[in-house]
Amino acid sequence: MLCSKQARHLNVWDRNIFSLQKPRVQAMPLRSIGDSKSQRGGKLQGKVALVTASTEGIGFATARSLAQEGASVVLSSRLEENVERAVTELRHENLNVAGTTCNAAKSADREKLISMAVKEYGGIDILVSNAAVNPFFGNILDTTEDMWDKVLDVNVKAMFMMSKLVVPHMEKRGGGSIVMVSSIAGFQPIQFLGPYSVSKTALLGLTKALALELAPLNIRVNCVAPGLIKTNFSSALWKNESLAGEFLKNVSMKRIGELKEISGVISFLCSDDATYITGETLVAAGGMYSRL
Ligand code: NAP
């Protein structure tokens, strides 16, 4: 865990990594691109997947993994330029992807994303809900109502609303798979990340509540709790040797996780290899002591 001195150094973490960044440009619908056909076979052949917050980091790696397994994948994030870049990169890999802007916290954007997937690919089989923010870094007693509203809106409520929207479409296909991205912080709150950690704990419960209700519809709902993974989101931590060292004291494997080590787990949970798994949270954190 971080001491107060380290926390002061980590203001940049608050601002740049866990912060709710304002879009630099007005999010505009990107014309969907669905004509790049992956010729690969795979565990997700014929499936249509939506991944939120998928133009960078864990979301982007997940979109790639699902598409490599044969799924048609709709990418999304707030900024059009990011969506264009991400879609172009994956299409150069001959993967079947489309994209549109979607701020996961906005109801109209969520509906636009669903409509686009249905229009483009004819239905929805998989949802990976990945968007999260952290509007605050410091002592939990210094947090305000606005901060709580923001973190719960994006990290919890939007996850539920996205799930609710995809259910009728999955039902039409005879079932589906929903995966939420939580965090190791959901098990053991990270110091100075109180509201963020609590929001990630809420997802463990949301996963179970939805799984119970959706099992009769053959829709599985699971959750992934990553440890420290190399992304922009966490770069202030892993780029700082002393902070990373402090964090890794609690990690059995003594190393930071790679993107593939999360996207692979998500891809597994979405596949038919996981047909008897629902309501579970799979921790991929290199064996963190503090979880116990
Ligand atoms: P990242 O590399 O910083 O990527 C963030 C992505 O989210 C970008 O594509 C960004 O694109 C998009 N985004 C941000 N706010 C959004 C919003 N409101 N609606 C839609 N898209 C949004 O982040 P990451 O590390 O992969 O984090 C992804 C998830 O993993 C989060 O749920 C995080 O809590 C979880 N996680 C991460 C770690 C870690 O160590 N990295 C550990 C545990 C859990 P735009 O700017 O274009 O919107």
Coordinates of all heavy atoms in Angstrom, one line a residue, residues 184 187-188 250 281 283 285 288-292:
I184 N -8.8 -5.9 -8.4 CA -8.3 -6.5 -7.2 C -8.7 -5.5 -6.0 O -9.0 -5.9 -4.9 CB -6.8 -6.7 -7.2 CG1 -6.4 -7.6 -6.0 CG2 -6.0 -5.4 -7.2 CD1 -6.8 -9.0 -6.1
F187 N -11.7 -6.3 -3.8 CA -11.5 -7.2 -2.7 C -10.8 -6.5 -1.5 O -11.2 -6.8 -0.3 CB -10.7 -8.4 -3.1 CG -11.4 -9.4 -4.0 CD1 -11.3 -9.2 -5.4 CD2 -12.2 -10.4 -3.5 CE1 -12.0 -10.1 -6.2 CE2 -12.9 -11.2 -4.4 CZ -12.8 -11.1 -5.7
Q188 N -9.8 -5.8 -1.8 CA -9.0 -5.1 -0.8 C -8.9 -3.6 -1.2 O -8.1 -3.3 -2.1 CB -7.7 -5.7 -0.6 CG -6.7 -5.0 0.3 CD -7.2 -4.8 1.8 OE1 -7.6 -5.8 2.4 NE2 -7.2 -3.6 2.3
N250 N 3.2 -7.2 -2.4 CA 2.0 -8.0 -2.1 C 1.6 -9.0 -3.2 O 0.6 -9.6 -3.1 CB 0.8 -7.0 -1.9 CG 0.9 -6.4 -0.5 OD1 1.2 -7.0 0.5 ND2 0.6 -5.1 -0.5
T281 N -16.4 -14.3 -10.0 CA -15.3 -13.3 -10.3 C -14.0 -14.0 -10.3 O -13.6 -14.7 -9.4 CB -15.3 -12.2 -9.2 OG1 -16.5 -11.5 -9.2 CG2 -14.1 -11.2 -9.5
V283 N -10.1 -13.8 -10.4 CA -9.0 -12.8 -10.1 C -7.8 -13.2 -10.9 O -7.4 -14.3 -10.9 CB -8.7 -12.9 -8.5 CG1 -7.5 -12.0 -8.2 CG2 -9.9 -12.5 -7.7
A285 N -4.3 -11.6 -10.7 CA -3.6 -10.5 -10.1 C -2.2 -11.0 -9.6 O -1.6 -10.5 -8.7 CB -4.4 -10.0 -8.9
M288 N -2.2 -11.9 -5.2 CA -2.0 -10.8 -4.3 C -2.3 -11.2 -2.8 O -3.4 -11.6 -2.5 CB -2.8 -9.6 -4.7 CG -2.1 -8.8 -5.7 SD -2.8 -7.2 -6.0 CE -2.3 -6.3 -4.6
Y289 N -1.4 -11.0 -1.9 CA -1.6 -11.4 -0.5 C -2.7 -10.6 0.1 O -3.5 -11.2 0.9 CB -0.3 -11.1 0.3 CG 0.9 -11.7 -0.2 CD1 2.1 -11.1 -0.1 CD2 0.9 -13.0 -0.8 CE1 3.3 -11.6 -0.5 CE2 2.1 -13.6 -1.2 CZ 3.3 -12.9 -1.1 OH 4.5 -13.4 -1.5
S290 N -2.8 -9.4 -0.2 CA -3.8 -8.5 0.5 C -5.2 -8.9 0.2 O -6.1 -8.4 0.9 CB -3.5 -7.0 0.1 OG -3.6 -6.9 -1.3
R291 N -5.4 -9.7 -0.8 CA -6.8 -10.2 -1.1 C -7.3 -11.0 0.0 O -8.5 -11.1 0.2 CB -6.8 -11.0 -2.4 CG -8.1 -11.3 -3.0 CD -8.1 -11.7 -4.4 NE -7.7 -13.1 -4.5 CZ -8.6 -14.1 -4.5 NH1 -9.8 -13.9 -4.2 NH2 -8.2 -15.3 -4.7
L292 N -6.4 -11.7 0.7 CA -6.8 -12.6 1.8 C -7.1 -11.7 3.0 O -7.8 -11.8 3.8 CB -5.8 -13.6 2.1 CG -5.2 -14.3 0.8 CD1 -4.0 -15.2 1.2 CD2 -6.3 -15.2 0.2

